[in-house]
C-alpha cells in the first residue's frame, strides 16, 4: 500500500467517520501505531468533525423514511408486517394451549397403569357324551407355561400315557 498524503488523508477521514471497517480498519490502526504523521491526520479529522456533532441536534427520522431506505436497498425483501389487530394474539395462544393439551394427554395415555394381571388362558377338554370335563387347561404364572389338571379323567392304563 502506498503511503501518499492523499491516501493518509482519505483513510484518516474514513476512520474518524466510522466508515472504514473490517480488516482495512485493523490495518489502518496498525499503521497509526507506526506513524506519527498518520496519527496527526486522524487528530486533525477528529478535531474538524467534532464541531459537527456539537452543532447538529439529534433527531430521529420517521419510520417511513427507514422503510423507504430499506425498500431501496433490498427491493426483493418482504415488506414489514402490519400490526396485528386486538384479537391477533388469540390464534397463536390458542395453538400453544392446544399443543400443550395434546402433549399432556399423550403422556397420560402412555403412563396409564396396567391392570397388573395378564389375561390367563384357560379351557377344558371334554368328551362328547360326558358332562364333566376330563382336563382343565390353564396358563401358569408369568413364564406362560400350560398346566393340565385332571378332573374326571380315568387313570391311564398300564404301559399307556395320555398324549
Amino acid at each position: 500500500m502506498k503511503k501518499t498524503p492523499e491516501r493518509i488523508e482519505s483513510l484518516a477521514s474514513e476512520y474518524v467517520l466510522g466508515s472504514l471497517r473490517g480488516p482495512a480498519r485493523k490495518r489502518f490502526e496498525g499503521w497509526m501505531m507506526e506513524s506519527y504523521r498518520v496519527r496527526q491526520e486522524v487528530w486533525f479529522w477528529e478535531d474538524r468533525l467534532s464541531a459537527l456533532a456539537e452543532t447538529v441536534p439529534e433527531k430521529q427520522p420517521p419510520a417511513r423514511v427507514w422503510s423507504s431506505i430499506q425498500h431501496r436497498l433490498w427491493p426483493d425483501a418482504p415488506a414489514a408486517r402490519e400490526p396485528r389487530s386486538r384479537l391477533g394474539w388469540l390464534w397463536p395462544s390458542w395453538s400453544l394451549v392446544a399443543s400443550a393439551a395434546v402433549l399432556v394427554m399423550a403422556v397420560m395415555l402412555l403412563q396409564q397403569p396396567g391392570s397388573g394381571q395378564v389375561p390367563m388362558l384357560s379351557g377344558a377338554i371334554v368328551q362328547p357324551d360326558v358332562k364333566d370335563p376330563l382336563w382343565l387347561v390353564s396358563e401358569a404364572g408369568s413364564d406362560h407355561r400350560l398346566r393340565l389338571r385332571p378332573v374326571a379323567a380315568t387313570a391311564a392304563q398300564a404301559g399307556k400315557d395320555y398324549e
Side-chain angles (χ1 to χ4, degrees):
M1 170 173 33
K2 293 185 180 181
K3 298 180 181 180
T4 61
E6 293 82 20
R7 183 139 182 105
I8 293 171
E9 181 180 347
S10 171
L11 290 173
S13 63
E14 289 178 28
Y15 178 81
V16 172
L17 285 172
S19 60
L20 188 63
R21 297 180 183 227
R25 186 174 184 89
K26 297 269 188 217
R27 281 192 307 269
F28 185 76
E29 287 171 347
W31 194 16
M32 272 184 6
M33 295 297 177
E34 296 172 1
S35 172
Y36 179 73
R37 169 73 180 107
V38 174
R39 286 193 301 269
Q40 274 186 323
E41 193 66 34
V42 169
W43 295 332
F44 169 78
W45 280 104
E46 285 176 345
D47 184 48
R48 190 165 214 194
L49 295 175
S50 65
L52 289 176
E54 296 169 2
T55 58
V56 177
E58 187 175 324
K59 185 175 180 184
Q60 187 69 23
R64 62 181 167 75
V65 173
W66 285 117
S67 64
S68 174
I69 291 171
Q70 287 177 344
H71 180 68
R72 278 187 273 160
L73 290 174
W74 302 284
D76 296 335
R81 284 197 258 164
E82 295 180 14
R84 294 182 179 175
S85 65
R86 289 188 304 155
L87 295 178
W89 60 271
L90 181 63
W91 295 115
S93 302
W94 178 253
S95 65
L96 286 174
V97 169
S99 298
V102 167
L103 285 174
V104 168
M105 290 186 68
V107 168
M108 288 175 57
L109 287 174
L110 289 175
Q111 292 185 350
Q112 194 173 34
S115 61
Q117 292 183 352
V118 179
M120 303 299 252
L121 173 69
S122 62
I125 299 175
V126 295
Q127 287 183 334
D129 55 347
V130 180
K131 287 185 178 181
D132 294 329
L134 298 175
W135 298 84
L136 290 178
V137 181
S138 61
E139 187 178 359
S142 63
D143 57 350
H144 305 292
R145 292 188 179 191
L146 287 179
R147 190 171 115 197
L148 295 172
R149 191 167 45 132
V151 176
T154 57
Q157 298 175 2
K160 303 281 183 176
D161 197 3
Y162 293 108
E163 291 183 9

